């Protein structure tokens, strides 16, 4: 037989499952990763004592600026991310909460994910070399390019690798540096035809760039709004879509003539 409960009693009873659910959620692992600004590396210089870019078979241009690839660092694929971590991440400007599957391939072990990211980096390096040599009209059979960057995975350094190769081989095309002596940072994938692709995490990468001395940040055009959302003061955004367009923008920035795109 059903008996009618008074309203206070009914509210109290119905609240119990909600409280229990919240309590369970607070302590249960959630399918998220918490990311923050990671390391940056100057592709024109050295990383852990080794040159990032080594070119054999032709003369190289001596560079004086910096081209810094940027990264984010996230909680590991097997880390327990709890409700308190998610809430803190949502309100922090130097952290971001992302679905774990958007950061790591779903269903893989930690070792498999590390191997996957390492392979993506190798592919990115090969494609970046091809894109740069194609842009310069150089024969890849005559020039050997080796790229080394320790402890970094994924394809998002492709654009910066290509720019580094272009700067070392050709500079700005007129005897100067492609960077104009500046510290320029950025991110973006690249294909063999020189098309720049989006990468994610750009709002955190701009913070890493500013922290490490960059004044200019190259961002895939499709991610302009994300880059602007937490843009550090004094960091200029240049949206890019192709390797050629990026080189043209940097030349215009150096010479003060021509058009420099903006978000």
């Amino acid at each position: 037989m059903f008996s009618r409960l008074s309203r206070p009693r009914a509210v109290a009873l119905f609240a119990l499952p909600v409280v229990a659910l919240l309590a369970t959620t607070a302590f249960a692992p959630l399918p998220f990763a918490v990311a923050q600004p990671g390391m940056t590396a100057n592709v024109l210089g050295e990383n852990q004592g080794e040159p990032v870019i080594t070119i054999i078979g032709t003369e190289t241009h001596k560079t004086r600026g910096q081209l810094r690839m940027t990264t984010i660092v996230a909680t590991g694929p097997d880390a327990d991310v709890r409700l308190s971590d998610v809430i803190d991440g949502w309100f922090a400007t130097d952290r971001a909460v992302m679905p774990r599957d958007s950061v790591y391939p779903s269903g893989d072990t930690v070792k498999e994910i590390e191997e996957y990211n390492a392979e993506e980096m190798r592919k990115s390096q090969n494609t970046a070399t091809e894109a740069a040599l194609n842009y310069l009209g150089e024969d890849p059979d005559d020039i050997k390019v080796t790229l080394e960057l320790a402890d970094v995975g994924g394809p998002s350094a492709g654009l910066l690798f290509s720019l580094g190769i272009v700067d070392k081989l050709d500079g700005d095309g007129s005897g100067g540096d492609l960077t104009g002596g500046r510290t320029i940072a950025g991110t973006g994938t690249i294909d063999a035809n020189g098309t720049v692709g989006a990468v994610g995490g750009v709002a955190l990468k701009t913070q890493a760039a500013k922290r490490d001395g960059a004044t200019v940040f190259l961002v895939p055009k499709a991610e302009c709004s994300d880059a602007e959302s937490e843009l550090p003061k004094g960091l200029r955004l240049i949206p890019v879509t192709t390797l050629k367009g990026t080189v043209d923008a940097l030349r215009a920035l150096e010479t003060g003539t021509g058009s420099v795109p903006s978000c």
Side-chain angles (χ1 to χ4, degrees), residues 135 178 243-253 257-261:
Y135 168 78
L178 188 59
L243 176 59
K244 181 182 184 305
T246 307
V247 173
D248 289 345
L250 291 178
R251 286 174 175 168
L253 183 67
T257 60
S259 175
V260 180

Side-chain angles (χ1 to χ4, degrees), residues 58-140:
T58 188
E59 291 186 4
T60 57
H61 172 81
K62 186 175 181 180
T63 59
R64 60 190 176 91
Q66 295 186 27
L67 286 169
R68 302 196 76 89
M69 55 79 64
T70 55
T71 68
I72 61 172
V73 58
T75 50
D78 57 348
D80 287 344
V81 176
R82 313 218 173 242
L83 182 60
S84 59
D85 301 316
V86 173
I87 293 173
D88 288 345
W90 273 332
F91 287 100
T93 59
D94 61 345
R95 278 168 285 165
V97 178
M98 307 182 199
R100 186 177 293 165
D101 289 352
S102 71
V103 180
Y104 301 106
S106 179
D108 292 336
T109 66
V110 174
K111 183 178 180 180
E112 288 172 337
I113 289 170
E114 290 174 349
E115 290 174 349
Y116 173 83
N117 283 336
E119 179 61 22
E120 287 296 293
M121 171 60 86
R122 283 191 290 271
K123 290 179 181 177
S124 173
Q125 291 172 336
N126 292 336
T127 304
T129 299
E130 187 176 357
L133 296 182
N134 284 342
Y135 168 78
L136 294 171
E138 297 284 357
D139 188 342

